[in-house]
């Protein structure tokens, strides 16, 4: 199918409550929504780069530049057969995985629609068992004004039906928080995410949480580091998970060779898209790693594609794919609801992403839009 046009939309959405991490507090979610047109079909993608370069060096503005000046021109007029062609077309652009992932999602969506398959079915074609129908999910809890308030927030999410809690930590907001959470909710799977806020000298902090039966500690050290994580891992009992450090399957191979982690948080957006994410899934399965799908406060457009990835057989740990209402009162696409009896979300089965984009809502949150043709 010939790629005829790409529409790029810069949106800004209010969050239902501020989201605090070791790199800052977010009140608003800026993102880019990409629509790729070919042969009467539309494939949707979301670029999760936001207004500041806290998690990644990319922002919504750098992604707009890279997409409009380099990535979109590299695909316009191309004959798209299978989504696995895309990384080759984009290979002249170094880095910028979040920008690339928006196009990658759209080409998976549109080719799945063409084939009469759901995104999940298309992605799961190499696996005889096919995609899972429901995927296990948890909720990511940002930093709060106090530990007592955090316990209330956790209790609220547990009441909503979430079965796994992730707490954001940073120096000074870690051991007491984790201890209180473990003792208030003794049977709940709890994990911590540091977003690179510590160094190897802080090993004692993590050792002091060895007996809290944590599901894992996510990305304690540097956002580009793999080596120091390999030094920390044998010093602590909690399973170690990498997020920021893994941008490619090559990074995953290095982490495996250095035994730097037990688990990888596979964010399809952080690794340039679904083709690369599936490679990391396969490497993780082959090497006995724990795997789960991470999130970036996606709208329903991105959440649908996260669900498709999480339906692959190796993703056995709960993903950061909370329901629509966790972040947005009024989303731009068909809402997702939590199945409260087992903390899962049902993977869409319609063609492609299997969602309806609410064009009126999209328009209402749009700051800027541009169409690109050859
Ligand atoms: O580190 O996993 C992270 C959100 C923004 C940036 C980084 C992270 C996160 C989350 C949110 O933890 C997960 C979600 O989408 O619910
Ligand atoms: Mg993380």
């Amino acid at each position: 199918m010939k790629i005829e046009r790409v529409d790029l939309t810069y949106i800004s959405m209010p969050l239902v409550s501020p989201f605090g991490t070791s790199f800052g507090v977010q009140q608003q979610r800026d993102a880019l929504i990409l629509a790729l047109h070919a042969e009467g079909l539309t494939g949707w993608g979301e670029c999760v780069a936001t207004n500041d370069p806290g998690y990644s060096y990319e922002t919504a503005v750098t992604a707009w530049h890279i997409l409009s000046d380099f990535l979109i021109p590299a695909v316009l007029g191309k004959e798209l057969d299978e989504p696995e062609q895309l990384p080759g077309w984009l290979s002249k652009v170094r880095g910028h995985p979040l920008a690339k992932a928006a196009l990658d999602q759209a080409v998976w969506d549109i080719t799945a629609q063409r084939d009469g398959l759901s995104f999940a079915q298309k992605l799961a074609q190499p696996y005889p068992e096919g995609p899972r129908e429901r995927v296990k999910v948890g909720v990511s809890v940002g930093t709060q004004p106090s530990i007592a308030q955090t316990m209330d927030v956790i209790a609220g999410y547990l009441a909503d039906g979430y079965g796994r809690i992730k707490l954001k930590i940073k120096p000074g907001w870690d051991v007491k928080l984790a201890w209180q959470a473990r003792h208030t909710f003794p049977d709940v799977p709890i994990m911590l995410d540091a977003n690179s806020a510590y160094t190897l000298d802080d090993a004692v902090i993590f050792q002091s949480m060895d007996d809290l039966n944590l599901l894992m500690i996510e990305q304690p050290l540097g956002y580009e580091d793999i080596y120091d994580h390999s030094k920390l891992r044998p010093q602590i009992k909690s399973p170690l998970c990498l997020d920021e450090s893994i941008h490619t399957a090559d990074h995953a191979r290095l982490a495996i060779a250095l035994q730097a982690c037990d688990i990888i948080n596979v964010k399809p957006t952080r690794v340039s898209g679904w083709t690369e994410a599936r490679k990391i899934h396969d490497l993780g399965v082959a090497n006995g790693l724990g795997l789960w799908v991470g999130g970036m406060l996606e709208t329903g457009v991105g959440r649908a594609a996260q669900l498709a990835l999480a339906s692959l057989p190796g993703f056995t740990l709960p993903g950061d794919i909370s329901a629509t209402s966790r972040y947005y009162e009024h989303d731009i696409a068909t809402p997702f609801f939590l199945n409260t009896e087992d903390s899962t979300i049902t993977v869409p089965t319609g063609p492609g992403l299997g969602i309806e984009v609410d064009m009126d809502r999209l328009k209402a949150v749009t700051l800027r839009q541009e169409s690109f043709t050859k």
Side-chain angles (χ1 to χ4, degrees):
M1 48 199 327
K2 190 177 157 142
I3 300 176
E4 292 149 13
R5 191 175 102 227
V6 176
D7 306 325
L8 209 48
T9 306
Y10 189 123
I11 62 169
S12 188
M13 306 248 291
L15 296 175
V16 292
S17 57
F19 188 70
T21 62
S22 62
F23 54 82
V25 181
Q26 223 176 314
Q27 315 262 1
Q28 193 82 10
R29 169 80 184 342
D30 289 10
L32 307 181
I33 298 296
L34 184 150
L36 179 131
H37 303 275
E39 290 173 15
L41 297 174
T42 303
W44 292 93
E46 175 167 343
C47 174
V48 297
T50 191
N51 54 310
D52 68 72
Y55 170 81
S56 150
Y57 61 84
E58 295 181 79
T59 67
V61 173
T62 71
W64 184 285
H65 161 55
I66 294 293
L67 277 159
S68 61
D69 290 338
F70 302 103
L71 302 178
I72 293 171
V75 307
L76 283 173
K78 284 258 166 52
E79 202 52 56
L80 174 65
D81 189 18
E82 291 299 335
E84 290 90 340
Q85 292 171 285
L86 184 79
W89 296 344
L90 305 185
S91 65
K92 288 204 181 79
V93 176
R94 298 276 193 260
H96 298 279
L98 304 184
K100 289 174 179 169
L103 266 176
D104 193 86
Q105 184 188 332
V107 300
W108 274 96
D109 180 22
I110 203 165
T111 53
Q113 291 176 44
R114 174 201 63 195
D115 297 348
L117 298 173
S118 69
F119 196 130
Q121 284 169 330
K122 186 156 178 72
L123 205 57
Q125 272 177 333
Y127 314 98
E129 59 269 65
R132 248 183 269 278
E133 284 172 24
R134 292 172 162 217
V135 302
K136 271 188 243 157
V137 303
V139 64
S140 178
V141 178
T143 55
Q144 307 290 324
S146 70
I147 290 181
Q149 276 166 275
T150 314
M151 298 308 118
D152 291 344
V153 171
I154 296 171
Y157 286 130
L158 294 174
D160 287 346
Y162 288 106
R164 178 282 256 158
I165 300 292
K166 162 164 140 180
L167 298 173
K168 293 289 189 180
I169 59 165
K170 59 183 181 180
W173 182 261
D174 42 34
V175 183
K176 277 189 190 151
L177 171 77
W179 193 94
Q180 192 62 52
R182 175 44 72 226
H183 289 84
T184 311
F185 307 103
D187 303 320
V188 172
I190 294 171
M191 57 180 285
L192 309 177
D193 185 2
N195 287 112
S196 299
Y198 298 85
T199 70
L200 199 47
D201 294 338
D202 298 318
V204 62
I205 295 174
F206 298 102
Q207 286 159 353
S208 73
M209 298 191 281
D210 272 347
D211 297 325
L212 296 181
N213 188 27
L214 298 170
L215 191 58
M216 72 190 82
I217 294 174
E218 182 179 345
Q219 195 72 33
L221 310 182
Y223 62 87
E224 305 266 32
D225 171 77
I226 294 177
Y227 183 71
D228 277 359
H229 281 99
S230 79
K231 296 287 168 198
L232 176 65
R233 183 170 165 263
Q235 299 183 51
I236 62 174
K237 284 195 201 149
S238 307
L240 199 155
C241 171
L242 290 178
D243 172 357
E244 281 90 330
S245 300
I246 307 294
H247 301 176
T248 60
D250 287 342
H251 291 153
R253 287 195 299 125
L254 178 59
I256 289 164
L258 292 181
Q259 301 189 314
C261 63
D262 302 283
I263 298 168
I264 296 179
N265 162 351
V266 185
K267 284 184 188 168
T269 53
R270 192 196 62 227
V271 303
S272 301
W274 279 253
T275 303
E276 193 75 2
R278 198 172 59 181
K279 282 187 197 161
I280 296 172
H281 163 273
D282 294 348
L283 275 169
V285 170
N287 290 279
L289 293 187
L291 296 167
W292 56 282
V293 174
M296 293 286 290
L297 287 67
E298 281 84 352
T299 73
V301 173
R303 283 300 202 220
Q306 278 181 282
L307 289 168
L309 182 64
S311 77
L312 300 188
F315 289 109
T316 55
L317 292 162
D320 272 345
I321 320 177
S322 44
T324 302
S325 59
R326 157 74 183 88
Y327 294 117
Y328 305 108
E329 206 167 292
H330 192 169
D331 197 6
I332 57 168
T334 320
F336 289 108
F337 299 97
L338 190 69
N339 301 312
T340 54
E341 68 281 12
D342 58 359
S343 188
T344 62
I345 294 186
T346 305
V347 180
T349 53
L353 291 169
I355 53 164
E356 202 76 56
V357 176
D358 177 343
M359 299 307 286
D360 292 334
R361 182 59 185 161
L362 181 63
K363 214 173 190 177
V365 296
T366 294
L367 300 183
R368 179 180 176 192
Q369 188 174 41
E370 203 171 326
S371 286
F372 301 86
T373 50
K374 207 176 161 83

